[in-house]
């Protein structure tokens, strides 16, 4: 669909525009599909470290760990799809 947004006329300028459109759309798709997984993981790691230092409730820590598992899964899927 992205490729077809730009009318292909056979000259290299149009091909370059089409490629740029595909790249832009893939970046948007990545943001929608995966969000900022790496940034969220770093934030969550910091929160878990603080909770462990404070000797927080295990239920709270387990919820954070479940969220981290979900984000790690999403990160794996992101790399699989990108490859």
């Amino acid at each position: 669909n992205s490729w077809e947004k730009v009318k292909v006329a056979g000259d290299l300028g149009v091909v370059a525009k089409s490629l740029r459109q595909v790249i832009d759309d893939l970046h948007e798709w990545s943001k929608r599909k995966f969000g900022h997984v790496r940034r969220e993981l770093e934030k969550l790691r910091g929160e878990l470290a603080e909770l462990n230092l404070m000797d927080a409730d295990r239920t709270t820590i387990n919820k954070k760990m479940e969220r981290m598992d979900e984000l790690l899964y999403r990160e794996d899927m992101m790399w699989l799809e990108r490859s």
Side-chain angles (χ1 to χ4, degrees), residues 34-42 71 74-75 78:
F34 302 108
H36 299 285
V37 174
R38 283 179 249 150
R39 195 176 311 149
E40 288 181 53
L41 278 170
E42 288 304 314
L71 289 172
R74 286 176 57 195
E75 184 181 44
M78 175 182 72

Side-chain angles (χ1 to χ4, degrees), residues 4 33 46 55-56:
E4 293 172 354
K33 178 79 172 172
D55 218 14

Side-chain angles (χ1 to χ4, degrees), residues 48 51 56-66:
L48 279 169
L51 288 172
D57 179 40
R58 290 304 304 169
T59 306
T60 305
I61 292 174
N62 286 341
K63 285 182 182 179
K64 296 283 184 184
M65 293 292 286
E66 286 174 13

Side-chain angles (χ1 to χ4, degrees), residues 18-71:
S18 295
L19 286 173
R20 184 79 239 158
Q21 183 66 48
V22 170
I23 289 169
D24 291 344
D25 288 349
L26 284 172
H27 282 291
E28 285 301 313
W29 170 81
S30 178
K31 287 178 188 175
R32 281 192 318 272
K33 178 79 172 172
F34 302 108
H36 299 285
V37 174
R38 283 179 249 150
R39 195 176 311 149
E40 288 181 53
L41 278 170
E42 288 304 314
K43 179 182 171 192
L44 197 54
R45 284 185 181 113
E47 290 173 5
L48 279 169
E50 287 179 27
L51 288 172
N52 282 324
L53 288 174
M54 295 181 339
D55 218 14
D57 179 40
R58 290 304 304 169
T59 306
T60 305
I61 292 174
N62 286 341
K63 285 182 182 179
K64 296 283 184 184
M65 293 292 286
E66 286 174 13
R67 176 69 177 144
M68 181 175 269
D69 287 343
E70 176 189 333
L71 289 172

